[in-house]
Amino acid sequence: MSKSKIFAIILLVLFVGAFIAGMYTITDVQIESTYKLDEQSIIERNGERFLVIDDRELALSKRYYDKINLEKYNEYKVKYVYNTLKKNDGEVVALKRYGEQPWGQ
C-alpha cells in the first residue's frame, strides 16, 4: 500500500471519529429549574443514589445528597445534564435550596 493511501485511510478514520464524537456531544442537554422533592424523588441502588426528575434517574453525588433536607425544605433549584441518546444517562451538576443565598445559609 502506498503512503498516500495509508494517509487517506488515517484521515478518514480521524474524520469519522471526530464526527461521531461531535454528534454525541451535541446531544447533551443541560436543564436548570426549581423542583419540589419528596422521599420518592431519591432512590438508592447498588450503593449509588439517584434523583428522579421528569422520569429520568440522575446520578446524585454524596455532596449534593447531603445538601437535601426534606424535613425542613422541599423546594430545590437543580441543574442537571443528560444525553438525549441514552434513557437514564444524566447527573446532577448543581443543587441548592430554593431561596438560598450564596453568602450563607
Side-chain angles (χ1 to χ4, degrees):
M1 225 184 231
S2 69
K3 288 184 180 183
S4 62
K5 283 187 179 184
I6 292 174
F7 179 72
I9 291 172
I10 290 173
L11 195 60
L12 181 65
V13 168
L14 288 175
F15 176 75
V16 169
F19 179 76
I20 291 171
M23 289 303 294
Y24 185 79
T25 304
I26 259 179
T27 58
D28 280 350
V29 177
Q30 179 175 328
I31 296 178
E32 182 174 1
S33 188
T34 303
Y35 297 96
K36 286 189 176 186
L37 304 180
D38 57 14
E39 295 293 331
Q40 287 80 26
S41 300
I42 301 170
I43 59 173
E44 189 169 341
R45 187 180 326 121
N46 298 331
E48 295 182 47
R49 294 181 184 94
F50 297 91
L51 184 62
V52 179
I53 295 178
D54 299 333
D55 296 328
R56 290 197 175 275
E57 293 179 5
L58 307 167
L60 185 65
S61 68
K62 180 171 175 19
R63 174 181 165 205
Y64 295 128
Y65 176 76
D66 291 342
K67 284 186 169 188
I68 298 174
N69 183 355
L70 295 176
E71 294 173 4
K72 283 182 138 179
Y73 311 104
N74 67 345
E75 282 190 85
Y76 290 87
K77 192 167 192 167
V78 180
K79 182 190 293 186
Y80 63 94
V81 177
Y82 70 93
N83 191 302
T84 58
L85 296 177
K86 295 184 177 180
K87 169 87 174 109
N88 280 326
D89 175 52
E91 67 177 314
V92 175
V93 294
L95 183 139
K96 67 178 182 176
R97 180 177 46 84
Y98 181 72
E100 178 182 344
Q101 301 300 323
W103 54 81
Q105 305 273 339

